[in-house]
Amino acid sequence: MEIHCRDEGDIRLLHVAADRIDAAVAIAFKDRMRALSDGAPETVILDLSDVSFIDSSGLGSIVAAMKQLGSDRKMQLAGLTPNVARVFRLTRMDKVFAILDMPEEGRAANGG
Amino acid sequence: MAADGGPGGDASSAPFTQRLHISLVSDAGEIRCALDRIMDHATTFCSDEAALGAVQIVLAEVLNNISEHAYVRRPGDGIIMITCTIAPGALRFAVLDKGREMPVAALDKGSRHRRYSAQEELPEGGFGWHLIRSLSTNLSYARRRGRNRLCFDIPMAAPRSCNKGDT
């Protein structure tokens, strides 16, 4: 599971370089996210602009990744493609995550 | 994974109907391939992006449920058969497996809109049936001769090339 990691000031930008996050990769995704969350600054932005599809396992692994951050840090999502946004909306997870249009918006909003 | 849907396969003789049959085993990789094959087929007849997206979501959840629950005792090794029929106004699916019986309660629950408050309470699973019920219509389940058969429709806007004869 390829996830590119870049720190910009107090933001960690994680770009998922995969077409889908589904049952086939959910565990690998969770493990990789755990590793990339270590020592992360206060804000972690997960860029999903390359992901065209997530299933409930993928959604669960994103929720798990957010929980791994604990209460001191927050996860924001960026670049949701239409079918991914739909899964978040239908499960009401769009109310749980801060969802940005593009990663740049997150950097601007956080003064980076 | 085996598929047939060409003229020599089981393409229906009904004028506005095209069928695709796929057999696969309940392995995550095979499920991915089956979804790709069905999406290719559906895209040939359906230009409704929302409907195509719903097909991908619902079918993935149905197949994952079979893999994780019906075939929990034989992971990655249970036979699944899918029939996709292009009908006027809907993509129609029948999914068969020979695994454990499905708890019928899954079908009966309403499409609950959940609200989550504290981060600690957030579930990491259990979204599947909610997505299936939200996006499909005519959902039905039957258990016969040791087989599970789940049928559902995904409504779609006017199908592509279903009205070839009309000018």
Side-chain angles (χ1 to χ4, degrees):
Chain A
M1 186 84 203
E2 206 174 331
I3 304 175
H4 302 140
C5 176
R6 192 172 83 228
D7 283 352
E8 289 191 13
D10 57 355
I11 295 174
R12 177 160 294 179
L13 189 62
L14 301 176
H15 175 244
V16 181
D19 177 48
R20 45 191 134 180
I21 307 174
D22 61 9
V25 297
I27 292 171
F29 174 83
K30 211 160 115 177
D31 289 348
R32 185 88 178 102
M33 285 296 289
R34 183 181 289 119
L36 291 171
S37 298
D38 268 357
E42 192 184 316
T43 302
V44 174
I45 297 179
L46 188 63
D47 177 1
L48 296 171
S49 54
D50 282 351
V51 179
S52 64
F53 175 67
I54 62 166
D55 65 8
S56 60
S57 303
L59 177 64
S61 66
I62 294 172
V63 172
M66 183 181 71
K67 287 182 178 177
Q68 284 166 13
L69 286 177
S71 53
D72 299 338
R73 293 176 292 180
K74 61 185 173 187
M75 180 185 283
Q76 301 179 343
L77 306 179
L80 269 58
T81 55
N83 222 28
V84 171
R86 177 143 69 154
V87 168
F88 274 87
R89 197 167 59 245
L90 286 169
T91 56
R92 299 193 75 94
M93 283 294 153
D94 59 336
K95 310 290 182 206
V96 170
F97 289 88
I99 297 178
L100 318 168
D101 285 338
M102 289 302 291
E104 284 73 17
E105 189 183 321
R107 288 202 286 276
N110 285 278
Chain B
M1 185 178 68
D4 69 85
D10 194 63
S12 167
S13 57
F16 299 145
T17 307
Q18 289 287 336
R19 270 189 196 156
L20 174 70
H21 288 298
I22 288 182
S23 300
L24 64 147
V25 293
S26 57
D27 163 79
E30 288 245 340
I31 288 174
R32 267 193 177 195
C33 292
L35 280 173
D36 287 347
R37 181 85 177 80
I38 284 172
M39 291 307 291
D40 281 351
H41 179 71
T43 306
T44 309
F45 297 96
C46 174
S47 53
D48 179 345
E49 290 293 329
L52 291 170
V55 167
Q56 196 175 20
I57 294 169
V58 173
L59 204 52
E61 298 306 334
V62 167
L63 297 177
N64 288 344
N65 279 344
I66 292 171
S67 171
E68 290 165 17
H69 301 294
Y71 286 130
V72 68
R73 292 190 189 128
R74 43 192 303 190
D77 191 34
I79 293 289
I80 303 174
M81 285 156 286
I82 309 168
T83 304
C84 169
T85 307
I86 312 294
L91 294 134
R92 187 157 292 160
F93 291 90
V95 184
L96 275 78
D97 69 76
K98 297 177 181 175
R100 293 199 310 183
E101 189 167 2
M102 195 179 88
V104 182
L107 281 176
D108 295 337
K109 286 181 197 165
S111 285
R112 285 179 296 151
H113 284 289
R114 305 181 188 184
R115 285 179 185 280
Y116 303 108
S117 47
Q119 187 168 313
E120 289 70 29
E121 297 171 11
L122 289 177
E124 294 173 27
F127 307 111
W129 273 108
H130 178 74
L131 291 169
I132 293 167
R133 287 191 303 264
S134 298
L135 295 170
S136 68
T137 59
N138 298 328
L139 187 62
S140 68
Y141 168 76
R143 172 89 179 173
R144 281 195 203 107
R145 293 183 212 154
R147 288 183 176 194
N148 297 310
R149 180 187 172 89
L150 189 75
C151 297
F152 58 90
D153 288 353
I154 303 293
M156 66 167 171
R160 202 181 270 167
S161 70
C162 271
N163 296 317
K164 267 183 196 164
D166 300 340
T167 47

